[in-house]
Amino acid sequence: MKPLNIKNTSLSFLAVALIATPIAALAADFVSPKFDWSGAYVGVHAGALNQGGTLSLAPTGDSPPDNALNPNLGGTSFIAGLLGGYNWQITPNVVTGIEGDVGFGNSNSNVVSAKSSVPMNVWYADNTLSETINGHVRGRLGWASGSLLAYGSAGVAISNSKINVTGYCPPDQYSTSGSRTLVGYSIGAGADYAVTETAIVRLEYIYDGYGHQSEDVGSGAPNYWQNRQLNLTTQTFRAALIYKF
């Protein structure tokens, strides 16, 4: 699994802090000193998911091999779904819990590949990575001040991935694809605010890393398709509306 990019992650956590700080300031005048965070909850979430990392091509396969002209991923899409979990308020200020969620969207990134020795009007290919499902199982640890809970989270991220490849050799066109379930790590931070005894609103940031993965996109005409090398990360900014039992 690829080590965490400390620089990018630090900037992302700074963004969360900048979002959460004004919320905490506004909530300070309204917090209930007796709010109990313990218990089960369910909710809905919605936000934006951004793909990062790279998509490249294995050097083995067709000869001469294709190479990604720009391997960087960067697709962003709307994502929405469901969440549920349980909190334990172990001291007046310390809250721990576990949470699971699933989100549905349609994130896509396209990488163009070609052969260094062949003009692109003779051959090139589009490599499109798509994700439609993203989920997590995470532990949470937070600091509560009445109706406000600031927390960090860590756990497992799960996503489906599909790579569609379309090769162009005018006037012919060739297509192939490969898919697999990705499992990686997840870290995040956010803030929950209890509007009432049962209604909670949330702002949250999540970073997922899936390490280096290889996807077999099959074989067939016009050549042996090279495996696609995927190093996927995602960043999610989302809001949630939660019902506490």
Side-chain angles (χ1 to χ4, degrees), residues 31 48 94 172 177 194:
V31 295
V94 178
D172 299 319
S177 65

Side-chain angles (χ1 to χ4, degrees), residues 31-89:
V31 295
S32 167
K34 297 181 180 180
F35 186 79
D36 183 7
W37 286 95
S38 294
Y41 60 89
V42 295
V44 294
H45 66 80
L49 182 148
N50 175 257
Q51 294 175 333
T54 60
L55 190 159
S56 58
L57 282 71
T60 57
D62 189 32
S63 182
D66 282 13
N67 295 288
L69 301 186
N70 182 354
N72 295 326
L73 301 171
T76 300
S77 77
F78 176 78
I79 188 169
L82 305 173
L83 62 85
Y86 197 97
N87 287 325
W88 294 269
Q89 189 157 359

Side-chain angles (χ1 to χ4, degrees), residues 7 17 33 45 56 80 84 89 124 191 205 208 219 228 234-235 240 243:
K7 180 180 179 181
H45 66 80
S56 58
Q89 189 157 359
Y124 76 95
Y205 166 79
D208 299 333
S219 60
R228 268 50 182 175
T234 63
Q235 299 186 76
Y243 178 83

